[in-house]
Amino acid sequence: MFDGIFSLSLTPAEAQALWLSLKTGLVGTGVALVPGIAVAWLLARGNFRGKFWLDSFVHMPLVLPPVVTGYVLLLVFGHNGPVGNWLETHLGFVLAFNWKGAALASAIMGFPLLVRAVRLAFEAVDPKLEAAARTLGAHRRDVFFSITLPLIMPGIIAGGLLAFARALGEFGATITFVANIPGDTQTLPLALYSALQLPDGEIHAMRFVVLSLVLAAGALAGSEYLARAAQIRIRGRS
């Protein structure tokens, strides 16, 4: 039994689920990254009417059941939804029931975690450093890219890792929005769920558990390496 669980050769179903998890996780995190940094900056530095409501809206996926989030995505981005129908009619771009929809679900579920980590990084930066650079004639854009962005890079890495990890474990919103289609939307959590429904699926389920553990360990190791590299770069600039 253990030989079957720890075999290094992947079945086609395992390879597809692993590839889909990586693809949807990376694409979803990439989609959320720039908007997440922008929203985090707005919440950290902005002082405007409606800030509380924006903050609440951003963090809504954390407190709502994932199935509710998936159903809302289906209503908005599905074939008959206002946005989904427009995208399909005018651009031929379909989100429901394919991997692109799974990436969108991953991006939305991981977005609050990304925003939270980056917002804390923004709040840790001393505004006097930015003000001093502006008094020396630097443009706001130059100050952001040369001073602020390097200082918040560990927070961006941490937020990206949290969003990616959330994407790897996403189940409820994904299965509601894009279903559980082998080879198209069946990521590792969905493949594990399918294996558990089979009478003799214990070995297959354990294989998916091992794959998930290896993938998570690799993501953590990569994040630690990038965070240390960012810290070394910051110390070199100081």
Side-chain angles (χ1 to χ4, degrees):
M1 176 178 177
F2 289 102
D3 292 339
I5 292 175
F6 295 105
S7 174
L8 296 179
S9 60
L10 299 179
T11 67
E14 292 168 349
Q16 287 178 340
L18 178 61
W19 166 240
L20 277 171
S21 292
L22 286 170
K23 183 166 66 170
T24 57
L26 290 172
V27 172
T29 303
V31 167
L33 190 60
V34 174
I37 294 173
V39 172
W41 178 86
L42 192 62
L43 292 174
R45 301 295 174 82
N47 186 14
F48 55 92
R49 179 178 293 182
K51 180 178 178 179
F52 170 80
W53 297 110
L54 175 61
D55 192 20
S56 300
F57 179 77
V58 166
H59 289 86
M60 195 67 70
L62 290 180
V63 295
L64 281 175
V67 174
V68 173
T69 303
Y71 183 61
V72 172
L73 288 175
L74 187 61
L75 291 176
V76 176
F77 294 98
H79 296 294
N80 297 321
V83 178
N85 183 265
W86 188 90
L87 290 173
E88 187 173 353
T89 302
H90 294 86
L91 302 179
F93 190 75
V94 180
L95 287 170
F97 306 109
N98 62 59
W99 77 268
K100 295 185 287 293
L104 176 62
S106 298
I108 290 177
M109 296 303 295
F111 190 75
L113 301 174
L114 173 64
V115 170
R116 183 65 178 169
V118 179
R119 179 182 179 179
L120 292 174
F122 271 119
E123 292 174 345
V125 175
D126 189 353
K128 294 179 181 178
L129 295 174
E130 300 167 318
R134 286 196 296 269
T135 58
L136 294 174
H139 191 271
R140 285 182 177 272
R141 179 184 57 198
D142 297 327
V143 172
F144 178 81
F145 284 103
S146 63
I147 296 177
T148 310
L149 187 60
L151 291 175
I152 67 169
M153 190 57 64
I156 293 176
I157 294 172
L161 172 65
L162 289 172
F164 180 67
R166 185 66 182 85
L168 292 181
E170 172 48 39
F171 179 84
T174 301
I175 198 171
T176 305
F177 182 35
V178 298
N180 184 8
I181 306 172
D184 199 0
T185 66
Q186 190 179 79
T187 57
L188 284 174
L190 300 184
L192 173 59
Y193 172 78
S194 296
L196 290 174
Q197 308 309 305
L198 300 175
D200 56 346
E202 290 84 2
I203 293 180
H204 297 291
M206 285 302 301
R207 292 271 297 174
F208 288 121
V209 169
V210 172
L211 282 175
S212 299
L213 290 172
V214 171
L215 191 57
L220 287 172
S223 172
E224 183 66 20
Y225 172 80
L226 292 174
R228 289 188 178 184
Q231 290 288 352
I232 292 173
R233 187 176 179 183
I234 291 172
R235 294 193 190 101
R237 286 170 172 252
S238 59

mmCIF file of all heavy atoms in Angstrom, residues 116-133:
data_model
loop_
_atom_site.group_PDB
_atom_site.id
_atom_site.type_symbol
_atom_site.label_atom_id
_atom_site.label_comp_id
_atom_site.label_asym_id
_atom_site.label_seq_id
_atom_site.Cartn_x
_atom_site.Cartn_y
_atom_site.Cartn_z
ATOM 1 N N ARG A 116 -4.337 42.175 2.991
ATOM 2 C CA ARG A 116 -4.016 42.327 4.412
ATOM 3 C C ARG A 116 -2.514 42.362 4.642
ATOM 4 O O ARG A 116 -2.005 43.225 5.374
ATOM 5 C CB ARG A 116 -4.642 41.172 5.209
ATOM 6 C CG ARG A 116 -4.452 41.257 6.706
ATOM 7 C CD ARG A 116 -5.164 42.452 7.285
ATOM 8 N NE ARG A 116 -5.028 42.524 8.731
ATOM 9 C CZ ARG A 116 -5.376 43.567 9.453
ATOM 10 N NH1 ARG A 116 -5.883 44.635 8.869
ATOM 11 N NH2 ARG A 116 -5.222 43.565 10.764
ATOM 12 N N ALA A 117 -1.786 41.438 4.038
ATOM 13 C CA ALA A 117 -0.336 41.380 4.241
ATOM 14 C C ALA A 117 0.356 42.614 3.668
ATOM 15 O O ALA A 117 1.250 43.194 4.309
ATOM 16 C CB ALA A 117 0.226 40.117 3.604
ATOM 17 N N VAL A 118 -0.054 43.033 2.484
ATOM 18 C CA VAL A 118 0.589 44.204 1.859
ATOM 19 C C VAL A 118 0.216 45.481 2.599
ATOM 20 O O VAL A 118 1.039 46.394 2.741
ATOM 21 C CB VAL A 118 0.202 44.289 0.369
ATOM 22 C CG1 VAL A 118 0.847 45.513 -0.284
ATOM 23 C CG2 VAL A 118 0.638 43.030 -0.374
ATOM 24 N N ARG A 119 -1.011 45.565 3.085
ATOM 25 C CA ARG A 119 -1.418 46.747 3.852
ATOM 26 C C ARG A 119 -0.565 46.896 5.106
ATOM 27 O O ARG A 119 -0.131 48.012 5.443
ATOM 28 C CB ARG A 119 -2.894 46.636 4.226
ATOM 29 C CG ARG A 119 -3.406 47.812 5.055
ATOM 30 C CD ARG A 119 -4.861 47.624 5.430
ATOM 31 N NE ARG A 119 -5.355 48.726 6.236
ATOM 32 C CZ ARG A 119 -6.595 48.823 6.687
ATOM 33 N NH1 ARG A 119 -7.481 47.868 6.421
ATOM 34 N NH2 ARG A 119 -6.969 49.866 7.411
ATOM 35 N N LEU A 120 -0.327 45.812 5.817
ATOM 36 C CA LEU A 120 0.525 45.873 7.003
ATOM 37 C C LEU A 120 1.943 46.310 6.637
ATOM 38 O O LEU A 120 2.596 47.044 7.395
ATOM 39 C CB LEU A 120 0.552 44.514 7.697
ATOM 40 C CG LEU A 120 -0.759 44.069 8.355
ATOM 41 C CD1 LEU A 120 -0.633 42.643 8.878
ATOM 42 C CD2 LEU A 120 -1.138 45.012 9.494
ATOM 43 N N ALA A 121 2.421 45.866 5.468
ATOM 44 C CA ALA A 121 3.753 46.274 5.023
ATOM 45 C C ALA A 121 3.790 47.772 4.726
ATOM 46 O O ALA A 121 4.765 48.461 5.073
ATOM 47 C CB ALA A 121 4.158 45.475 3.790
ATOM 48 N N PHE A 122 2.746 48.287 4.083
ATOM 49 C CA PHE A 122 2.668 49.725 3.831
ATOM 50 C C PHE A 122 2.672 50.513 5.139
ATOM 51 O O PHE A 122 3.353 51.542 5.262
ATOM 52 C CB PHE A 122 1.399 50.060 3.045
ATOM 53 C CG PHE A 122 1.558 49.999 1.551
ATOM 54 C CD1 PHE A 122 0.807 49.114 0.798
ATOM 55 C CD2 PHE A 122 2.451 50.846 0.894
ATOM 56 C CE1 PHE A 122 0.953 49.061 -0.571
ATOM 57 C CE2 PHE A 122 2.589 50.792 -0.479
ATOM 58 C CZ PHE A 122 1.841 49.898 -1.216
ATOM 59 N N GLU A 123 1.894 50.051 6.107
ATOM 60 C CA GLU A 123 1.789 50.764 7.375
ATOM 61 C C GLU A 123 3.089 50.726 8.174
ATOM 62 O O GLU A 123 3.309 51.576 9.054
ATOM 63 C CB GLU A 123 0.643 50.173 8.198
ATOM 64 C CG GLU A 123 -0.737 50.442 7.588
ATOM 65 C CD GLU A 123 -1.856 49.730 8.320
ATOM 66 O OE1 GLU A 123 -1.540 48.814 9.120
ATOM 67 O OE2 GLU A 123 -3.030 50.062 8.079
ATOM 68 N N ALA A 124 3.963 49.756 7.886
ATOM 69 C CA ALA A 124 5.247 49.655 8.589
ATOM 70 C C ALA A 124 6.307 50.583 8.002
ATOM 71 O O ALA A 124 7.351 50.802 8.632
ATOM 72 C CB ALA A 124 5.752 48.216 8.560
ATOM 73 N N VAL A 125 6.060 51.114 6.805
ATOM 74 C CA VAL A 125 7.028 52.018 6.176
ATOM 75 C C VAL A 125 6.882 53.407 6.783
ATOM 76 O O VAL A 125 5.774 53.950 6.863
ATOM 77 C CB VAL A 125 6.808 52.076 4.653
ATOM 78 C CG1 VAL A 125 7.737 53.114 4.013
ATOM 79 C CG2 VAL A 125 7.036 50.707 4.026
ATOM 80 N N ASP A 126 7.990 53.988 7.189
ATOM 81 C CA ASP A 126 7.974 55.327 7.780
ATOM 82 C C ASP A 126 7.670 56.361 6.697
ATOM 83 O O ASP A 126 8.457 56.526 5.757
ATOM 84 C CB ASP A 126 9.334 55.628 8.416
ATOM 85 C CG ASP A 126 9.320 56.914 9.236
ATOM 86 O OD1 ASP A 126 8.298 57.633 9.203
ATOM 87 O OD2 ASP A 126 10.340 57.192 9.897
ATOM 88 N N PRO A 127 6.552 57.070 6.795
ATOM 89 C CA PRO A 127 6.227 58.089 5.772
ATOM 90 C C PRO A 127 7.276 59.189 5.663
ATOM 91 O O PRO A 127 7.362 59.863 4.628
ATOM 92 C CB PRO A 127 4.875 58.655 6.256
ATOM 93 C CG PRO A 127 4.312 57.611 7.155
ATOM 94 C CD PRO A 127 5.504 56.966 7.809
ATOM 95 N N LYS A 128 8.086 59.379 6.709
ATOM 96 C CA LYS A 128 9.110 60.419 6.662
ATOM 97 C C LYS A 128 10.157 60.122 5.582
ATOM 98 O O LYS A 128 10.746 61.048 5.011
ATOM 99 C CB LYS A 128 9.790 60.544 8.026
ATOM 100 C CG LYS A 128 8.866 61.061 9.124
ATOM 101 C CD LYS A 128 9.598 61.146 10.451
ATOM 102 C CE LYS A 128 8.666 61.638 11.558
ATOM 103 N NZ LYS A 128 9.345 61.686 12.877
ATOM 104 N N LEU A 129 10.412 58.829 5.325
ATOM 105 C CA LEU A 129 11.358 58.478 4.268
ATOM 106 C C LEU A 129 10.845 58.935 2.913
ATOM 107 O O LEU A 129 11.596 59.488 2.100
ATOM 108 C CB LEU A 129 11.588 56.963 4.263
ATOM 109 C CG LEU A 129 12.267 56.354 5.495
ATOM 110 C CD1 LEU A 129 12.280 54.838 5.383
ATOM 111 C CD2 LEU A 129 13.675 56.889 5.637
ATOM 112 N N GLU A 130 9.557 58.699 2.666
ATOM 113 C CA GLU A 130 8.964 59.122 1.395
ATOM 114 C C GLU A 130 8.901 60.645 1.306
ATOM 115 O O GLU A 130 9.159 61.232 0.248
ATOM 116 C CB GLU A 130 7.564 58.523 1.257
ATOM 117 C CG GLU A 130 7.570 57.000 1.281
ATOM 118 C CD GLU A 130 6.196 56.403 1.454
ATOM 119 O OE1 GLU A 130 5.414 56.936 2.286
ATOM 120 O OE2 GLU A 130 5.891 55.419 0.757
ATOM 121 N N ALA A 131 8.551 61.291 2.427
ATOM 122 C CA ALA A 131 8.474 62.754 2.429
ATOM 123 C C ALA A 131 9.844 63.371 2.176
ATOM 124 O O ALA A 131 9.968 64.369 1.444
ATOM 125 C CB ALA A 131 7.913 63.242 3.765
ATOM 126 N N ALA A 132 10.883 62.774 2.751
ATOM 127 C CA ALA A 132 12.233 63.302 2.539
ATOM 128 C C ALA A 132 12.641 63.191 1.079
ATOM 129 O O ALA A 132 13.258 64.110 0.522
ATOM 130 C CB ALA A 132 13.224 62.540 3.430
ATOM 131 N N ALA A 133 12.298 62.094 0.442
ATOM 132 C CA ALA A 133 12.628 61.926 -0.973
ATOM 133 C C ALA A 133 11.884 62.933 -1.837
ATOM 134 O O ALA A 133 12.440 63.469 -2.801
ATOM 135 C CB ALA A 133 12.299 60.502 -1.413
#
